[in-house]
Amino acid sequence: QMPKGSPPDTGATRILLDEPGHLIVHAWKNILVFVWVGDGPAALMRRLGPIIAAHSRELGRLSVVSIVAKISELPDETRRQAYKEFIAEHGAKLAHQIVVIEREGFMGSALRGFITGLLLVTRMHHAVQVASTVEEAAAWLPAKHAALTGVVVDSNELARVLVRTRGEALSRS
């Protein structure tokens, strides 16, 4: 599906949501970058739906890069349910989703297992990938994104956007 609008062609992003200590959402082209800098309550997940809906009306299908920069615990049942509801309502508006889990050790493994478990019990309308670095995400997404959305994204430019947005979010948390 070709995008409905003409996304900006620069490396500039717009902040769409800023929840200090939890999440910052940036928009770049028809890609949304969620930088999680803390444990997000279920209500925060529900606030993402209108953002997805508004951007998909304007630009068509979107891709989402979720960077888990800081998190202290696995999501509880309320947050898991909020994610399932989010995907059920808005998943068809997404072309791809890649989750970057920057944690190592036990918590990193637990988060990867959690994401895998959610994928098994949630009907996905889009491809989902898990990565360990923003560079890995930037290498995986561009060709797939262009094939489904018609929007060409340079992997080096995407990597710069992801590094910058993560850095800005961490400096504000």
Side-chain angles (χ1 to χ4, degrees), residues 7-158:
D9 218 7
T10 70
T13 63
R14 291 181 296 140
I15 294 177
L16 303 179
L17 178 67
D18 186 355
E19 285 290 327
H22 298 292
L23 170 70
I24 297 177
V25 177
H26 288 261
W28 178 66
K29 297 190 177 195
N30 63 337
I31 297 174
L32 299 181
V33 181
F34 299 173
V35 184
W36 295 93
V37 293
D39 302 315
L44 181 55
M45 185 57 118
R46 291 182 189 101
R47 291 184 58 202
L48 298 176
I51 292 170
I52 296 285
H55 271 70
S56 69
R57 276 193 303 274
E58 179 184 345
L59 300 172
R61 288 179 81 183
L62 310 168
S63 288
V64 172
V65 179
S66 295
I67 302 171
V68 182
K70 286 184 185 177
I71 192 168
S72 62
E73 63 185 22
L74 292 176
D76 60 17
E77 182 55 36
T78 304
R79 288 182 277 174
R80 286 192 297 269
Q81 187 59 38
Y83 178 77
K84 290 176 194 174
E85 291 168 6
F86 169 81
I87 292 299
E89 186 172 350
H90 300 287
K93 298 171 182 101
L94 301 180
H96 295 92
Q97 180 180 12
I98 185 159
V99 181
V100 180
I101 300 173
E102 297 184 317
R103 298 286 304 259
E104 297 292 329
F106 176 77
M107 183 55 86
S109 295
L111 284 168
R112 286 174 186 79
F114 166 76
I115 296 294
T116 301
L118 271 180
L119 296 176
L120 292 174
V121 299
T122 306
R123 184 168 176 256
M124 294 293 177
H125 301 275
H126 58 282
V128 180
Q129 178 75 14
V130 177
S132 298
T133 66
V134 294
E135 293 79 12
E136 185 182 337
W140 180 84
L141 185 59
K144 292 168 180 48
H145 181 77
L148 278 182
T149 69
V151 176
V152 175
V153 175
D154 177 75
S155 61
N156 292 321
E157 187 178 11
L158 177 58

